[in-house]
Each structure stands twice: as structure tokens, then as C-alpha cells.
PDB file of all heavy atoms in Angstrom:
ATOM      1  N   GLY A 101      12.653  21.341   8.818  1.00  0.00           N
ATOM      2  CA  GLY A 101      12.249  22.461   7.987  1.00  0.00           C
ATOM      3  C   GLY A 101      12.817  22.405   6.589  1.00  0.00           C
ATOM      4  O   GLY A 101      12.491  23.228   5.747  1.00  0.00           O
ATOM      5  N   ASP A 102      13.689  21.429   6.318  1.00  0.00           N
ATOM      6  CA  ASP A 102      14.265  21.300   4.980  1.00  0.00           C
ATOM      7  C   ASP A 102      13.233  20.699   4.039  1.00  0.00           C
ATOM      8  O   ASP A 102      12.536  19.765   4.378  1.00  0.00           O
ATOM      9  CB  ASP A 102      15.506  20.395   4.995  1.00  0.00           C
ATOM     10  CG  ASP A 102      16.649  21.003   5.775  1.00  0.00           C
ATOM     11  OD1 ASP A 102      16.692  22.243   5.867  1.00  0.00           O
ATOM     12  OD2 ASP A 102      17.478  20.248   6.295  1.00  0.00           O
ATOM     13  N   SER A 103      13.154  21.246   2.848  1.00  0.00           N
ATOM     14  CA  SER A 103      12.231  20.731   1.843  1.00  0.00           C
ATOM     15  C   SER A 103      12.976  19.767   0.932  1.00  0.00           C
ATOM     16  O   SER A 103      14.091  20.031   0.522  1.00  0.00           O
ATOM     17  CB  SER A 103      11.647  21.879   1.017  1.00  0.00           C
ATOM     18  OG  SER A 103      10.841  21.364  -0.005  1.00  0.00           O
ATOM     19  N   THR A 104      12.368  18.639   0.614  1.00  0.00           N
ATOM     20  CA  THR A 104      12.986  17.676  -0.288  1.00  0.00           C
ATOM     21  C   THR A 104      12.872  18.110  -1.729  1.00  0.00           C
ATOM     22  O   THR A 104      13.500  17.541  -2.602  1.00  0.00           O
ATOM     23  CB  THR A 104      12.348  16.279  -0.129  1.00  0.00           C
ATOM     24  OG1 THR A 104      10.957  16.402  -0.406  1.00  0.00           O
ATOM     25  CG2 THR A 104      12.560  15.734   1.266  1.00  0.00           C
ATOM     26  N   ASN A 105      12.067  19.119  -1.960  1.00  0.00           N
ATOM     27  CA  ASN A 105      11.868  19.602  -3.318  1.00  0.00           C
ATOM     28  C   ASN A 105      11.635  21.113  -3.223  1.00  0.00           C
ATOM     29  O   ASN A 105      10.521  21.582  -3.356  1.00  0.00           O
ATOM     30  CB  ASN A 105      10.682  18.889  -3.961  1.00  0.00           C
ATOM     31  CG  ASN A 105      10.548  19.204  -5.432  1.00  0.00           C
ATOM     32  OD1 ASN A 105      11.453  19.763  -6.039  1.00  0.00           O
ATOM     33  ND2 ASN A 105       9.413  18.867  -5.999  1.00  0.00           N
ATOM     34  N   VAL A 106      12.708  21.857  -2.966  1.00  0.00           N
ATOM     35  CA  VAL A 106      12.607  23.282  -2.692  1.00  0.00           C
ATOM     36  C   VAL A 106      11.821  23.984  -3.797  1.00  0.00           C
ATOM     37  O   VAL A 106      12.148  23.886  -4.972  1.00  0.00           O
ATOM     38  CB  VAL A 106      14.010  23.914  -2.543  1.00  0.00           C
ATOM     39  CG1 VAL A 106      13.892  25.424  -2.335  1.00  0.00           C
ATOM     40  CG2 VAL A 106      14.744  23.260  -1.393  1.00  0.00           C
ATOM     41  N   GLY A 107      10.781  24.678  -3.385  1.00  0.00           N
ATOM     42  CA  GLY A 107       9.984  25.454  -4.315  1.00  0.00           C
ATOM     43  C   GLY A 107       9.047  24.630  -5.176  1.00  0.00           C
ATOM     44  O   GLY A 107       8.335  25.163  -6.009  1.00  0.00           O
ATOM     45  N   GLY A 108       9.035  23.332  -4.983  1.00  0.00           N
ATOM     46  CA  GLY A 108       8.193  22.482  -5.821  1.00  0.00           C
ATOM     47  C   GLY A 108       7.189  21.711  -5.005  1.00  0.00           C
ATOM     48  O   GLY A 108       7.201  21.726  -3.789  1.00  0.00           O
ATOM     49  N   ASN A 109       6.323  21.037  -5.705  1.00  0.00           N
ATOM     50  CA  ASN A 109       5.327  20.187  -5.064  1.00  0.00           C
ATOM     51  C   ASN A 109       5.593  18.745  -5.432  1.00  0.00           C
ATOM     52  O   ASN A 109       6.065  18.448  -6.528  1.00  0.00           O
ATOM     53  CB  ASN A 109       3.916  20.588  -5.498  1.00  0.00           C
ATOM     54  CG  ASN A 109       3.506  21.908  -4.910  1.00  0.00           C
ATOM     55  OD1 ASN A 109       3.746  22.166  -3.743  1.00  0.00           O
ATOM     56  ND2 ASN A 109       2.896  22.762  -5.713  1.00  0.00           N
ATOM     57  N   VAL A 110       5.294  17.874  -4.522  1.00  0.00           N
ATOM     58  CA  VAL A 110       5.485  16.444  -4.711  1.00  0.00           C
ATOM     59  C   VAL A 110       4.122  15.776  -4.592  1.00  0.00           C
ATOM     60  O   VAL A 110       3.394  16.047  -3.641  1.00  0.00           O
ATOM     61  CB  VAL A 110       6.439  15.871  -3.638  1.00  0.00           C
ATOM     62  CG1 VAL A 110       6.576  14.373  -3.778  1.00  0.00           C
ATOM     63  CG2 VAL A 110       7.795  16.557  -3.702  1.00  0.00           C
ATOM     64  N   PRO A 111       3.750  14.912  -5.549  1.00  0.00           N
ATOM     65  CA  PRO A 111       2.449  14.247  -5.414  1.00  0.00           C
ATOM     66  C   PRO A 111       2.468  13.267  -4.245  1.00  0.00           C
ATOM     67  O   PRO A 111       3.436  12.553  -4.042  1.00  0.00           O
ATOM     68  CB  PRO A 111       2.269  13.511  -6.745  1.00  0.00           C
ATOM     69  CG  PRO A 111       3.621  13.425  -7.346  1.00  0.00           C
ATOM     70  CD  PRO A 111       4.438  14.541  -6.770  1.00  0.00           C
ATOM     71  N   VAL A 112       1.404  13.289  -3.466  1.00  0.00           N
ATOM     72  CA  VAL A 112       1.265  12.398  -2.320  1.00  0.00           C
ATOM     73  C   VAL A 112       0.143  11.420  -2.634  1.00  0.00           C
ATOM     74  O   VAL A 112      -0.974  11.824  -2.962  1.00  0.00           O
ATOM     75  CB  VAL A 112       0.939  13.195  -1.037  1.00  0.00           C
ATOM     76  CG1 VAL A 112       0.709  12.259   0.131  1.00  0.00           C
ATOM     77  CG2 VAL A 112       2.066  14.176  -0.738  1.00  0.00           C
ATOM     78  N   TRP A 113       0.447  10.132  -2.534  1.00  0.00           N
ATOM     79  CA  TRP A 113      -0.531   9.090  -2.867  1.00  0.00           C
ATOM     80  C   TRP A 113      -0.962   8.361  -1.612  1.00  0.00           C
ATOM     81  O   TRP A 113      -0.155   8.098  -0.725  1.00  0.00           O
ATOM     82  CB  TRP A 113       0.090   8.076  -3.827  1.00  0.00           C
ATOM     83  CG  TRP A 113       0.420   8.667  -5.144  1.00  0.00           C
ATOM     84  CD1 TRP A 113       1.618   9.197  -5.529  1.00  0.00           C
ATOM     85  CD2 TRP A 113      -0.451   8.816  -6.257  1.00  0.00           C
ATOM     86  NE1 TRP A 113       1.538   9.666  -6.807  1.00  0.00           N
ATOM     87  CE2 TRP A 113       0.279   9.437  -7.291  1.00  0.00           C
ATOM     88  CE3 TRP A 113      -1.778   8.491  -6.493  1.00  0.00           C
ATOM     89  CZ2 TRP A 113      -0.268   9.734  -8.521  1.00  0.00           C
ATOM     90  CZ3 TRP A 113      -2.325   8.784  -7.732  1.00  0.00           C
ATOM     91  CH2 TRP A 113      -1.577   9.391  -8.715  1.00  0.00           C
ATOM     92  N   ASN A 114      -2.220   8.003  -1.553  1.00  0.00           N
ATOM     93  CA  ASN A 114      -2.730   7.132  -0.504  1.00  0.00           C
ATOM     94  C   ASN A 114      -2.677   5.709  -1.034  1.00  0.00           C
ATOM     95  O   ASN A 114      -2.956   5.468  -2.205  1.00  0.00           O
ATOM     96  CB  ASN A 114      -4.160   7.502  -0.130  1.00  0.00           C
ATOM     97  CG  ASN A 114      -4.242   8.879   0.483  1.00  0.00           C
ATOM     98  OD1 ASN A 114      -3.398   9.267   1.266  1.00  0.00           O
ATOM     99  ND2 ASN A 114      -5.256   9.636   0.100  1.00  0.00           N
ATOM    100  N   LEU A 115      -2.332   4.775  -0.173  1.00  0.00           N
ATOM    101  CA  LEU A 115      -2.217   3.379  -0.560  1.00  0.00           C
ATOM    102  C   LEU A 115      -3.244   2.559   0.210  1.00  0.00           C
ATOM    103  O   LEU A 115      -3.402   2.734   1.422  1.00  0.00           O
ATOM    104  CB  LEU A 115      -0.801   2.878  -0.265  1.00  0.00           C
ATOM    105  CG  LEU A 115      -0.409   1.500  -0.742  1.00  0.00           C
ATOM    106  CD1 LEU A 115      -0.537   1.385  -2.264  1.00  0.00           C
ATOM    107  CD2 LEU A 115       1.030   1.196  -0.322  1.00  0.00           C
ATOM    108  N   TYR A 116      -3.939   1.691  -0.513  1.00  0.00           N
ATOM    109  CA  TYR A 116      -5.004   0.869   0.078  1.00  0.00           C
ATOM    110  C   TYR A 116      -4.802  -0.599  -0.268  1.00  0.00           C
ATOM    111  O   TYR A 116      -4.264  -0.935  -1.319  1.00  0.00           O
ATOM    112  CB  TYR A 116      -6.382   1.282  -0.466  1.00  0.00           C
ATOM    113  CG  TYR A 116      -6.699   2.735  -0.275  1.00  0.00           C
ATOM    114  CD1 TYR A 116      -6.573   3.628  -1.330  1.00  0.00           C
ATOM    115  CD2 TYR A 116      -7.129   3.211   0.953  1.00  0.00           C
ATOM    116  CE1 TYR A 116      -6.859   4.970  -1.168  1.00  0.00           C
ATOM    117  CE2 TYR A 116      -7.422   4.553   1.122  1.00  0.00           C
ATOM    118  CZ  TYR A 116      -7.277   5.428   0.069  1.00  0.00           C
ATOM    119  OH  TYR A 116      -7.560   6.757   0.235  1.00  0.00           O
ATOM    120  N   LEU A 117      -5.279  -1.452   0.610  1.00  0.00           N
ATOM    121  CA  LEU A 117      -5.360  -2.881   0.343  1.00  0.00           C
ATOM    122  C   LEU A 117      -6.830  -3.260   0.467  1.00  0.00           C
ATOM    123  O   LEU A 117      -7.439  -3.061   1.521  1.00  0.00           O
ATOM    124  CB  LEU A 117      -4.525  -3.687   1.348  1.00  0.00           C
ATOM    125  CG  LEU A 117      -4.563  -5.197   1.154  1.00  0.00           C
ATOM    126  CD1 LEU A 117      -3.848  -5.589  -0.141  1.00  0.00           C
ATOM    127  CD2 LEU A 117      -3.936  -5.909   2.341  1.00  0.00           C
ATOM    128  N   HIS A 118      -7.400  -3.771  -0.629  1.00  0.00           N
ATOM    129  CA  HIS A 118      -8.794  -4.213  -0.625  1.00  0.00           C
ATOM    130  C   HIS A 118      -8.805  -5.721  -0.376  1.00  0.00           C
ATOM    131  O   HIS A 118      -8.090  -6.466  -1.045  1.00  0.00           O
ATOM    132  CB  HIS A 118      -9.465  -3.941  -1.964  1.00  0.00           C
ATOM    133  CG  HIS A 118      -9.580  -2.489  -2.294  1.00  0.00           C
ATOM    134  ND1 HIS A 118     -10.373  -2.039  -3.321  1.00  0.00           N
ATOM    135  CD2 HIS A 118      -9.030  -1.384  -1.756  1.00  0.00           C
ATOM    136  CE1 HIS A 118     -10.297  -0.723  -3.393  1.00  0.00           C
ATOM    137  NE2 HIS A 118      -9.471  -0.305  -2.452  1.00  0.00           N
ATOM    138  N   LEU A 119      -9.619  -6.150   0.557  1.00  0.00           N
ATOM    139  CA  LEU A 119      -9.826  -7.567   0.852  1.00  0.00           C
ATOM    140  C   LEU A 119     -11.307  -7.882   0.669  1.00  0.00           C
ATOM    141  O   LEU A 119     -12.148  -6.978   0.745  1.00  0.00           O
ATOM    142  CB  LEU A 119      -9.413  -7.883   2.296  1.00  0.00           C
ATOM    143  CG  LEU A 119      -7.958  -7.620   2.670  1.00  0.00           C
ATOM    144  CD1 LEU A 119      -7.744  -7.868   4.158  1.00  0.00           C
ATOM    145  CD2 LEU A 119      -7.024  -8.476   1.844  1.00  0.00           C
ATOM    146  N   PRO A 120     -11.644  -9.149   0.435  1.00  0.00           N
ATOM    147  CA  PRO A 120     -13.067  -9.496   0.311  1.00  0.00           C
ATOM    148  C   PRO A 120     -13.841  -9.101   1.567  1.00  0.00           C
ATOM    149  O   PRO A 120     -13.282  -9.073   2.678  1.00  0.00           O
ATOM    150  CB  PRO A 120     -13.055 -11.021   0.148  1.00  0.00           C
ATOM    151  CG  PRO A 120     -11.690 -11.331  -0.362  1.00  0.00           C
ATOM    152  CD  PRO A 120     -10.772 -10.311   0.254  1.00  0.00           C
ATOM    153  N   TYR A 121     -15.102  -8.817   1.391  1.00  0.00           N
ATOM    154  CA  TYR A 121     -15.952  -8.436   2.510  1.00  0.00           C
ATOM    155  C   TYR A 121     -15.955  -9.513   3.598  1.00  0.00           C
ATOM    156  O   TYR A 121     -16.091  -9.213   4.777  1.00  0.00           O
ATOM    157  CB  TYR A 121     -17.384  -8.163   2.021  1.00  0.00           C
ATOM    158  CG  TYR A 121     -18.292  -7.745   3.131  1.00  0.00           C
ATOM    159  CD1 TYR A 121     -18.219  -6.456   3.640  1.00  0.00           C
ATOM    160  CD2 TYR A 121     -19.194  -8.640   3.698  1.00  0.00           C
ATOM    161  CE1 TYR A 121     -19.025  -6.059   4.688  1.00  0.00           C
ATOM    162  CE2 TYR A 121     -20.011  -8.254   4.745  1.00  0.00           C
ATOM    163  CZ  TYR A 121     -19.914  -6.965   5.239  1.00  0.00           C
ATOM    164  OH  TYR A 121     -20.715  -6.581   6.280  1.00  0.00           O
ATOM    165  N   THR A 122     -15.769 -10.747   3.202  1.00  0.00           N
ATOM    166  CA  THR A 122     -15.804 -11.863   4.149  1.00  0.00           C
ATOM    167  C   THR A 122     -14.500 -12.022   4.931  1.00  0.00           C
ATOM    168  O   THR A 122     -14.450 -12.815   5.875  1.00  0.00           O
ATOM    169  CB  THR A 122     -16.100 -13.182   3.413  1.00  0.00           C
ATOM    170  OG1 THR A 122     -15.116 -13.348   2.376  1.00  0.00           O
ATOM    171  CG2 THR A 122     -17.492 -13.170   2.809  1.00  0.00           C
ATOM    172  N   ALA A 123     -13.448 -11.301   4.561  1.00  0.00           N
ATOM    173  CA  ALA A 123     -12.170 -11.392   5.275  1.00  0.00           C
ATOM    174  C   ALA A 123     -12.319 -10.692   6.618  1.00  0.00           C
ATOM    175  O   ALA A 123     -12.473  -9.479   6.686  1.00  0.00           O
ATOM    176  CB  ALA A 123     -11.048 -10.755   4.459  1.00  0.00           C
ATOM    177  N   SER A 124     -12.290 -11.457   7.681  1.00  0.00           N
ATOM    178  CA  SER A 124     -12.480 -10.854   9.003  1.00  0.00           C
ATOM    179  C   SER A 124     -11.301 -11.208   9.898  1.00  0.00           C
ATOM    180  O   SER A 124     -10.536 -12.131   9.619  1.00  0.00           O
ATOM    181  CB  SER A 124     -13.794 -11.329   9.629  1.00  0.00           C
ATOM    182  OG  SER A 124     -13.768 -12.718   9.801  1.00  0.00           O
ATOM    183  N   GLY A 125     -11.168 -10.458  10.956  1.00  0.00           N
ATOM    184  CA  GLY A 125     -10.119 -10.733  11.933  1.00  0.00           C
ATOM    185  C   GLY A 125      -8.862  -9.909  11.753  1.00  0.00           C
ATOM    186  O   GLY A 125      -7.977  -9.940  12.605  1.00  0.00           O
ATOM    187  N   CYS A 126      -8.741  -9.168  10.656  1.00  0.00           N
ATOM    188  CA  CYS A 126      -7.557  -8.313  10.454  1.00  0.00           C
ATOM    189  C   CYS A 126      -7.641  -7.127  11.405  1.00  0.00           C
ATOM    190  O   CYS A 126      -8.728  -6.628  11.696  1.00  0.00           O
ATOM    191  CB  CYS A 126      -7.484  -7.833   9.018  1.00  0.00           C
ATOM    192  SG  CYS A 126      -7.257  -9.156   7.820  1.00  0.00           S
ATOM    193  N   ARG A 127      -6.457  -6.681  11.861  1.00  0.00           N
ATOM    194  CA  ARG A 127      -6.393  -5.543  12.783  1.00  0.00           C
ATOM    195  C   ARG A 127      -5.271  -4.603  12.376  1.00  0.00           C
ATOM    196  O   ARG A 127      -4.319  -5.030  11.706  1.00  0.00           O
ATOM    197  CB  ARG A 127      -6.127  -6.029  14.207  1.00  0.00           C
ATOM    198  CG  ARG A 127      -7.220  -6.863  14.795  1.00  0.00           C
ATOM    199  CD  ARG A 127      -7.066  -7.076  16.286  1.00  0.00           C
ATOM    200  NE  ARG A 127      -5.743  -7.506  16.698  1.00  0.00           N
ATOM    201  CZ  ARG A 127      -5.501  -8.468  17.573  1.00  0.00           C
ATOM    202  NH1 ARG A 127      -6.488  -9.126  18.119  1.00  0.00           N
ATOM    203  NH2 ARG A 127      -4.268  -8.773  17.905  1.00  0.00           N
ATOM    204  N   PRO A 128      -5.352  -3.352  12.803  1.00  0.00           N
ATOM    205  CA  PRO A 128      -4.232  -2.444  12.553  1.00  0.00           C
ATOM    206  C   PRO A 128      -2.931  -3.040  13.105  1.00  0.00           C
ATOM    207  O   PRO A 128      -2.923  -3.645  14.177  1.00  0.00           O
ATOM    208  CB  PRO A 128      -4.620  -1.177  13.326  1.00  0.00           C
ATOM    209  CG  PRO A 128      -6.122  -1.218  13.365  1.00  0.00           C
ATOM    210  CD  PRO A 128      -6.459  -2.693  13.492  1.00  0.00           C
ATOM    211  N   GLY A 129      -1.851  -2.893  12.356  1.00  0.00           N
ATOM    212  CA  GLY A 129      -0.558  -3.450  12.748  1.00  0.00           C
ATOM    213  C   GLY A 129      -0.259  -4.780  12.079  1.00  0.00           C
ATOM    214  O   GLY A 129       0.901  -5.198  12.043  1.00  0.00           O
ATOM    215  N   ASP A 130      -1.289  -5.452  11.549  1.00  0.00           N
ATOM    216  CA  ASP A 130      -1.048  -6.690  10.805  1.00  0.00           C
ATOM    217  C   ASP A 130      -0.264  -6.347   9.539  1.00  0.00           C
ATOM    218  O   ASP A 130      -0.307  -5.210   9.061  1.00  0.00           O
ATOM    219  CB  ASP A 130      -2.370  -7.370  10.427  1.00  0.00           C
ATOM    220  CG  ASP A 130      -3.105  -7.950  11.624  1.00  0.00           C
ATOM    221  OD1 ASP A 130      -2.517  -8.041  12.720  1.00  0.00           O
ATOM    222  OD2 ASP A 130      -4.292  -8.306  11.458  1.00  0.00           O
ATOM    223  N   ILE A 131       0.430  -7.343   9.004  1.00  0.00           N
ATOM    224  CA  ILE A 131       1.266  -7.111   7.827  1.00  0.00           C
ATOM    225  C   ILE A 131       0.821  -8.022   6.697  1.00  0.00           C
ATOM    226  O   ILE A 131       0.708  -9.238   6.864  1.00  0.00           O
ATOM    227  CB  ILE A 131       2.745  -7.345   8.158  1.00  0.00           C
ATOM    228  CG1 ILE A 131       3.146  -6.358   9.242  1.00  0.00           C
ATOM    229  CG2 ILE A 131       3.613  -7.213   6.907  1.00  0.00           C
ATOM    230  CD1 ILE A 131       4.512  -6.455   9.764  1.00  0.00           C
ATOM    231  N   ALA A 132       0.567  -7.401   5.531  1.00  0.00           N
ATOM    232  CA  ALA A 132       0.170  -8.146   4.337  1.00  0.00           C
ATOM    233  C   ALA A 132       1.383  -8.299   3.429  1.00  0.00           C
ATOM    234  O   ALA A 132       2.107  -7.339   3.175  1.00  0.00           O
ATOM    235  CB  ALA A 132      -0.945  -7.417   3.602  1.00  0.00           C
ATOM    236  N   LEU A 133       1.601  -9.512   2.953  1.00  0.00           N
ATOM    237  CA  LEU A 133       2.648  -9.797   1.977  1.00  0.00           C
ATOM    238  C   LEU A 133       1.965 -10.136   0.661  1.00  0.00           C
ATOM    239  O   LEU A 133       1.146 -11.062   0.601  1.00  0.00           O
ATOM    240  CB  LEU A 133       3.506 -10.975   2.431  1.00  0.00           C
ATOM    241  CG  LEU A 133       4.533 -11.475   1.414  1.00  0.00           C
ATOM    242  CD1 LEU A 133       5.611 -10.418   1.167  1.00  0.00           C
ATOM    243  CD2 LEU A 133       5.158 -12.781   1.886  1.00  0.00           C
ATOM    244  N   ILE A 134       2.280  -9.369  -0.392  1.00  0.00           N
ATOM    245  CA  ILE A 134       1.701  -9.642  -1.708  1.00  0.00           C
ATOM    246  C   ILE A 134       2.487 -10.793  -2.319  1.00  0.00           C
ATOM    247  O   ILE A 134       3.677 -10.678  -2.592  1.00  0.00           O
ATOM    248  CB  ILE A 134       1.748  -8.404  -2.631  1.00  0.00           C
ATOM    249  CG1 ILE A 134       1.085  -7.196  -1.952  1.00  0.00           C
ATOM    250  CG2 ILE A 134       1.089  -8.722  -3.971  1.00  0.00           C
ATOM    251  CD1 ILE A 134      -0.359  -7.388  -1.574  1.00  0.00           C
ATOM    252  N   GLU A 135       1.816 -11.925  -2.515  1.00  0.00           N
ATOM    253  CA  GLU A 135       2.480 -13.140  -2.994  1.00  0.00           C
ATOM    254  C   GLU A 135       2.442 -13.286  -4.502  1.00  0.00           C
ATOM    255  O   GLU A 135       3.360 -13.835  -5.092  1.00  0.00           O
ATOM    256  CB  GLU A 135       1.852 -14.360  -2.324  1.00  0.00           C
ATOM    257  CG  GLU A 135       2.075 -14.351  -0.825  1.00  0.00           C
ATOM    258  CD  GLU A 135       1.417 -15.520  -0.142  1.00  0.00           C
ATOM    259  OE1 GLU A 135       0.861 -16.409  -0.818  1.00  0.00           O
ATOM    260  OE2 GLU A 135       1.449 -15.556   1.096  1.00  0.00           O
ATOM    261  N   SER A 136       1.352 -12.832  -5.111  1.00  0.00           N
ATOM    262  CA  SER A 136       1.285 -12.889  -6.569  1.00  0.00           C
ATOM    263  C   SER A 136       0.455 -11.721  -7.068  1.00  0.00           C
ATOM    264  O   SER A 136      -0.450 -11.245  -6.393  1.00  0.00           O
ATOM    265  CB  SER A 136       0.705 -14.224  -7.056  1.00  0.00           C
ATOM    266  OG  SER A 136      -0.662 -14.315  -6.733  1.00  0.00           O
ATOM    267  N   SER A 137       0.826 -11.259  -8.266  1.00  0.00           N
ATOM    268  CA  SER A 137       0.152 -10.123  -8.872  1.00  0.00           C
ATOM    269  C   SER A 137       0.489 -10.102 -10.349  1.00  0.00           C
ATOM    270  O   SER A 137       1.562 -10.559 -10.756  1.00  0.00           O
ATOM    271  CB  SER A 137       0.626  -8.817  -8.218  1.00  0.00           C
ATOM    272  OG  SER A 137       0.085  -7.702  -8.888  1.00  0.00           O
ATOM    273  N   ASP A 138      -0.406  -9.541 -11.150  1.00  0.00           N
ATOM    274  CA  ASP A 138      -0.093  -9.327 -12.561  1.00  0.00           C
ATOM    275  C   ASP A 138       0.992  -8.265 -12.712  1.00  0.00           C
ATOM    276  O   ASP A 138       1.662  -8.199 -13.733  1.00  0.00           O
ATOM    277  CB  ASP A 138      -1.345  -8.902 -13.331  1.00  0.00           C
ATOM    278  CG  ASP A 138      -2.304 -10.057 -13.541  1.00  0.00           C
ATOM    279  OD1 ASP A 138      -1.880 -11.226 -13.413  1.00  0.00           O
ATOM    280  OD2 ASP A 138      -3.486  -9.791 -13.845  1.00  0.00           O
ATOM    281  N   ASP A 139       1.159  -7.412 -11.703  1.00  0.00           N
ATOM    282  CA  ASP A 139       2.220  -6.406 -11.696  1.00  0.00           C
ATOM    283  C   ASP A 139       3.414  -6.991 -10.947  1.00  0.00           C
ATOM    284  O   ASP A 139       3.381  -7.114  -9.721  1.00  0.00           O
ATOM    285  CB  ASP A 139       1.739  -5.128 -11.006  1.00  0.00           C
ATOM    286  CG  ASP A 139       2.791  -4.045 -10.968  1.00  0.00           C
ATOM    287  OD1 ASP A 139       3.970  -4.324 -11.286  1.00  0.00           O
ATOM    288  OD2 ASP A 139       2.450  -2.905 -10.605  1.00  0.00           O
ATOM    289  N   PRO A 140       4.489  -7.367 -11.651  1.00  0.00           N
ATOM    290  CA  PRO A 140       5.624  -8.001 -10.984  1.00  0.00           C
ATOM    291  C   PRO A 140       6.275  -7.120  -9.917  1.00  0.00           C
ATOM    292  O   PRO A 140       6.889  -7.633  -8.983  1.00  0.00           O
ATOM    293  CB  PRO A 140       6.602  -8.303 -12.120  1.00  0.00           C
ATOM    294  CG  PRO A 140       6.168  -7.469 -13.270  1.00  0.00           C
ATOM    295  CD  PRO A 140       4.708  -7.191 -13.084  1.00  0.00           C
ATOM    296  N   ASP A 141       6.109  -5.797 -10.013  1.00  0.00           N
ATOM    297  CA  ASP A 141       6.691  -4.914  -9.005  1.00  0.00           C
ATOM    298  C   ASP A 141       5.955  -4.975  -7.668  1.00  0.00           C
ATOM    299  O   ASP A 141       6.478  -4.517  -6.653  1.00  0.00           O
ATOM    300  CB  ASP A 141       6.719  -3.467  -9.510  1.00  0.00           C
ATOM    301  CG  ASP A 141       7.722  -3.275 -10.635  1.00  0.00           C
ATOM    302  OD1 ASP A 141       8.692  -4.059 -10.718  1.00  0.00           O
ATOM    303  OD2 ASP A 141       7.532  -2.346 -11.444  1.00  0.00           O
ATOM    304  N   LEU A 142       4.747  -5.510  -7.658  1.00  0.00           N
ATOM    305  CA  LEU A 142       4.000  -5.638  -6.408  1.00  0.00           C
ATOM    306  C   LEU A 142       4.345  -6.916  -5.650  1.00  0.00           C
ATOM    307  O   LEU A 142       4.165  -6.987  -4.435  1.00  0.00           O
ATOM    308  CB  LEU A 142       2.490  -5.609  -6.675  1.00  0.00           C
ATOM    309  CG  LEU A 142       1.893  -4.258  -7.034  1.00  0.00           C
ATOM    310  CD1 LEU A 142       0.408  -4.413  -7.360  1.00  0.00           C
ATOM    311  CD2 LEU A 142       2.083  -3.264  -5.907  1.00  0.00           C
ATOM    312  N   VAL A 143       4.834  -7.926  -6.359  1.00  0.00           N
ATOM    313  CA  VAL A 143       5.144  -9.205  -5.715  1.00  0.00           C
ATOM    314  C   VAL A 143       6.250  -8.992  -4.685  1.00  0.00           C
ATOM    315  O   VAL A 143       7.296  -8.413  -4.987  1.00  0.00           O
ATOM    316  CB  VAL A 143       5.550 -10.272  -6.746  1.00  0.00           C
ATOM    317  CG1 VAL A 143       5.958 -11.566  -6.056  1.00  0.00           C
ATOM    318  CG2 VAL A 143       4.411 -10.520  -7.728  1.00  0.00           C
ATOM    319  N   GLY A 144       5.989  -9.426  -3.466  1.00  0.00           N
ATOM    320  CA  GLY A 144       6.940  -9.256  -2.382  1.00  0.00           C
ATOM    321  C   GLY A 144       6.722  -8.002  -1.565  1.00  0.00           C
ATOM    322  O   GLY A 144       7.357  -7.809  -0.531  1.00  0.00           O
ATOM    323  N   ALA A 145       5.807  -7.137  -2.008  1.00  0.00           N
ATOM    324  CA  ALA A 145       5.521  -5.916  -1.245  1.00  0.00           C
ATOM    325  C   ALA A 145       4.951  -6.281   0.113  1.00  0.00           C
ATOM    326  O   ALA A 145       4.157  -7.219   0.245  1.00  0.00           O
ATOM    327  CB  ALA A 145       4.544  -5.023  -2.009  1.00  0.00           C
ATOM    328  N   ARG A 146       5.395  -5.539   1.132  1.00  0.00           N
ATOM    329  CA  ARG A 146       4.880  -5.726   2.493  1.00  0.00           C
ATOM    330  C   ARG A 146       4.144  -4.460   2.888  1.00  0.00           C
ATOM    331  O   ARG A 146       4.686  -3.360   2.794  1.00  0.00           O
ATOM    332  CB  ARG A 146       6.013  -6.018   3.471  1.00  0.00           C
ATOM    333  CG  ARG A 146       6.677  -7.340   3.169  1.00  0.00           C
ATOM    334  CD  ARG A 146       7.749  -7.759   4.162  1.00  0.00           C
ATOM    335  NE  ARG A 146       8.504  -6.684   4.745  1.00  0.00           N
ATOM    336  CZ  ARG A 146       8.887  -6.653   6.023  1.00  0.00           C
ATOM    337  NH1 ARG A 146       8.560  -7.628   6.840  1.00  0.00           N
ATOM    338  NH2 ARG A 146       9.603  -5.644   6.488  1.00  0.00           N
TER     339      ARG A 146
END
């Protein structure tokens, strides 16, 4: 029942991974490792 931001609102973001339409065989629970990106903060994201 404790609020992390008493009396305030926190933005909630949805996160998506887009793969080519031809990418098949992925299932829930699989883990994607971002190996390269123009955004250096994304590299290494799991």
C-alpha cells in the first residue's frame, strides 16, 4: 500500500521489441539481447 511517489503520478511506459515479419519461432519467455544500436544505452539490454 506504500506509494513510491506519494500524491504524485508516475509515467508508465510500455516496451516493445519489433522483429521482421519473417522472424518466426520466438515464444514468450525467450530473451533478446540487444547487440548493437545507434543508442549506446540500449546495447547490452536484455
Side-chain angles (χ1 to χ4, degrees):
D102 294 334
S103 176
T104 59
N105 188 13
V106 177
N109 289 317
V110 177
V112 176
W113 295 94
N114 295 320
L115 187 59
Y116 304 101
L117 179 68
H118 296 193
L119 300 175
Y121 181 76
T122 56
S124 61
C126 296
R127 295 192 311 224
D130 290 348
I131 299 177
L133 173 66
I134 306 301
E135 296 178 5
S136 69
S137 174
D138 286 342
D139 180 349
D141 290 335
L142 286 176
V143 176
R146 294 184 327 141

